[in-house]
Amino acid sequence: LYRGLEQYQANKDATLARAMDLTRRFGEKHESEVRQAQTLLGTLAAAPELTSSDPQKLRTILLRIMDANPEYAYLTLANADGSLRASSASTDNSLNFSDRTSFQVAQRDRRFSVTAAVVSVTTGKAVLPFAAPVMGDGGQITGVLLLGLPIEEYDRYFSTLDIPEGSRFVLFDGRGTRLLRSPRRD
């Protein structure tokens, strides 16, 4: 009985260590995604082309950027009032992003932001939203860049990990809503 308890405890400790390692690796992946998005949006926000008034030219630029970064669902530039200036995912000028938390935080804090996962209004996918303000010459905000990383990107990452048989990753938002389960089975 004692040996059985020792073996049980050893297996439990090994499982806990493996879970902690997988959690650490996920955290590193997430931090990498955030840094990559911050670099992309920071670089774009500083580009003088974003002050162009031609939405079609801006859309072409955004589409080229998306071709080079296919992991993202959309890249959108909203005016300071939230109206759509240009997007890689939509040409619907009636869209307004002023009610999106990511838009509001970027505008209020005047810096790059990451907010809770949402369903994209342009793609319909669950995404992790990133946002960064675009500043004009006088230091005023002229727009906000919005970038969405599909939650499925994490599923692709999880599928590359050596997960013990019978284990699964489940990703929840801060309210406890399940965003992703990997592998996807009942």
Side-chain angles (χ1 to χ4, degrees):
L1 181 62
Y2 180 73
R3 282 188 201 188
L5 287 173
E6 276 186 332
Q7 184 62 37
Y8 171 77
Q9 189 60 42
N11 288 344
K12 187 175 161 186
D13 291 345
T15 300
L16 180 60
R18 180 75 174 131
M20 294 304 292
D21 179 57
L22 290 170
T23 301
R24 179 190 53 77
R25 289 169 63 188
F26 170 74
E28 290 170 353
K29 167 70 172 166
H30 179 67
E31 286 180 29
S32 172
E33 293 292 347
V34 170
R35 279 193 306 273
Q36 187 175 352
Q38 185 174 19
T39 300
L40 176 62
L41 291 182
T43 303
L44 288 174
E49 293 86 14
L50 290 183
T51 59
S52 168
S53 61
D54 181 16
Q56 191 54 41
K57 180 180 175 185
L58 288 172
R59 179 170 165 73
T60 302
I61 292 169
L62 298 180
L63 286 169
R64 281 193 213 136
I65 293 167
M66 289 300 292
D67 285 343
N69 298 279
E71 66 273 20
Y72 296 109
Y74 62 83
L75 177 58
T76 298
L77 176 60
N79 291 311
D81 65 358
S83 62
L84 179 69
R85 189 181 305 176
S87 176
S88 65
S90 179
T91 56
D92 181 359
N93 289 332
S94 68
L95 292 175
N96 191 296
F97 299 90
S98 62
D99 64 337
R100 290 292 175 159
T101 304
S102 55
F103 178 91
Q104 294 168 356
V105 171
Q107 197 171 48
R108 180 190 69 228
D109 297 346
R110 303 173 71 88
R111 63 174 177 78
F112 172 80
S113 68
V114 183
T115 55
V118 297
V119 175
S120 167
V121 295
T122 55
T123 66
K125 294 181 179 179
V127 295
L128 183 62
F130 305 103
V134 177
M135 309 301 266
D137 292 334
Q140 78 285 4
I141 294 177
T142 62
V144 175
L145 283 163
L146 304 160
L147 180 67
L149 177 68
I151 297 297
E152 286 87 26
E153 277 300 310
Y154 289 108
D155 189 36
R156 284 193 257 298
Y157 174 70
F158 292 148
S159 67
T160 67
L161 298 177
D162 180 29
I163 300 172
E165 175 123 6
S167 300
R168 65 190 148 284
F169 278 101
V170 183
L171 185 61
F172 296 93
D173 68 9
R175 295 179 305 269
T177 304
R178 186 174 77 183
L179 300 173
L180 175 71
R181 178 183 169 137
S182 182
R184 294 182 191 189
R185 61 178 182 254
D186 292 334

